Amino acid sequence: MNRQLDLTNIPRHVAIIMDGNGRWAKERGQMRLQGHLAGLESLREIVRHSQRLGVEYLTVYAFSTENWKRPADEVAGIFKLVIKYVNSELKELCENNVRVGILGDWSAIPQDSRDSLRVLLDSTKDNDGLRFNIAINYGGRAEITRAVNRLMSEGRTNVTEDDISGSLYTAGMPDPDVIIRTSGENRLSNFLIWQAAYSEIVLTDVYWPDFTPAEYEKCIMEYQRRDRRFGGHK
Ligand code: IPE
Ligand code: IPE
Ligand code: MG
């Protein structure tokens, strides 16, 4: 572990936009899907390292509501990788007391991937270690719209910020302290747009398949250098 990392100031909730798989593959003359496959290795290591560091909530962006615009074979391949991920990680996640959650409308994804995720959720539901959220067919605008519709269906005409927060997929969880985005892009791409109101944004040029625990620690150290004021002052 990096000696400059302050273990007394680890973010409770880390959110990650796992980006750059396609460019990583392209630079190697490989298919985009090879990049997504390589990204699974990074994900495994980052979940493990989040546990070592004492992160309580880890939320990763795996597939956005906009990613349906991609070629059908890439989309199908990504959902096959979801199954592969569950098959390879289920045992370790259970053993390590990780509780998995899904953010997003995953009813829209292929049945076999859904079945696989259902097993993952059911097998980890009683765990109380790291809370690991996977955002799949997730979009921040869709999430807020869904929350508003849920409140309206309850007959609500006047809602508070807490009502909306409590109707999002992240209900009951703290907002992310830090949102990390890999691959040098500088935007949220519809990720946690409500919850990000006071999140620190940390950007790294590293492509997701090259994102290591050491790089993760660097991002957390960058977060630790930030002065979080939440609109107030000292
Ligand atoms: C992120 O990598 C994974 C998903 C969006 C599913 P990309 O596939 O977006 O990789 P780039 O941005 O094209 O390099
Ligand atoms: C965001 O990455 C979505 C995920 C990482 C799942 P994109 O690659 O889809 O975002 P844009 O298109 O560059 O904004
Ligand atoms: Mg991308």
Side-chain angles (χ1 to χ4, degrees):
M1 229 172 263
N2 194 306
R3 272 179 287 121
Q4 284 160 34
L5 191 67
D6 177 0
L7 292 172
T8 68
N9 184 22
I10 296 295
R12 280 187 78 193
H13 186 171
V14 175
I16 305 182
I17 303 174
M18 308 184 290
D19 199 12
N21 296 349
R23 281 163 282 167
W24 181 92
K26 192 171 179 210
E27 283 185 7
R28 284 164 179 73
Q30 296 177 1
M31 305 287 287
R32 294 181 60 86
L33 222 42
Q34 291 297 122
H36 297 312
L37 177 65
L40 291 188
E41 302 293 322
S42 303
L43 182 57
R44 172 193 292 132
E45 291 303 322
I46 294 312
V47 171
R48 285 181 182 155
H49 209 57
S50 297
Q51 295 171 274
R52 286 185 208 112
L53 294 173
V55 169
E56 290 174 58
Y57 299 83
L58 173 69
T59 300
V60 299
Y61 206 6
F63 192 86
S64 76
T65 48
E66 287 73 36
N67 286 147
W68 296 105
K69 293 177 192 163
R70 297 185 179 204
D73 58 343
E74 182 180 354
V75 171
I78 289 171
F79 289 126
K80 290 289 178 212
L81 286 179
V82 167
I83 302 172
K84 186 178 167 62
Y85 178 78
V86 174
N87 288 340
S88 69
E89 301 310 304
L90 180 65
K91 186 165 170 281
E92 179 174 326
L93 293 170
C94 289
E95 283 170 4
N96 289 342
N97 198 25
V98 175
R99 179 170 165 204
V100 179
I102 309 289
L103 314 185
D105 179 14
W106 56 292
S107 70
I109 73 171
Q111 181 74 50
D112 52 355
S113 307
R114 244 188 301 157
D115 292 345
S116 204
L117 288 171
R118 175 45 64 201
V119 172
L120 181 63
L121 291 180
D122 288 347
S123 329
T124 62
K125 70 178 184 343
D126 297 324
N127 293 346
D128 59 5
L130 174 71
R131 182 77 185 258
F132 174 38
N133 299 313
I134 309 173
I136 296 183
N137 192 21
Y138 172 89
R141 289 184 175 181
E143 178 184 40
I144 295 167
T145 305
R146 172 179 169 275
V148 170
N149 279 316
R150 283 161 73 111
L151 291 163
M152 285 199 304
S153 71
E154 291 165 12
R156 302 290 302 276
T157 52
N158 195 352
V159 300
T160 64
E161 292 188 5
D162 284 346
D163 290 331
I164 293 179
S165 295
S167 303
L168 299 176
Y169 293 114
T170 50
M173 303 180 202
D175 288 338
D177 298 291
V178 57
I179 298 180
I180 297 169
R181 183 166 190 154
T182 59
S183 86
E185 304 296 351
N186 189 346
R187 55 178 169 264
L188 286 175
S189 302
N190 205 10
F191 189 45
L192 302 176
I193 52 175
W194 174 277
Q195 299 89 334
Y198 270 100
S199 303
E200 295 298 329
I201 314 286
V202 172
L203 306 168
T204 166
D205 287 338
V206 171
Y207 294 143
W208 177 249
D210 290 328
F211 192 75
T212 57
E215 198 60 43
Y216 186 25
E217 290 184 359
K218 275 195 218 158
C219 291
I220 295 180
M221 289 188 290
E222 164 75 29
Y223 159 82
Q224 291 177 338
R225 285 191 290 272
R226 304 278 176 89
D227 179 14
R228 303 188 77 190
R229 288 191 289 271
F230 299 99
H233 56 70
K234 288 183 186 135

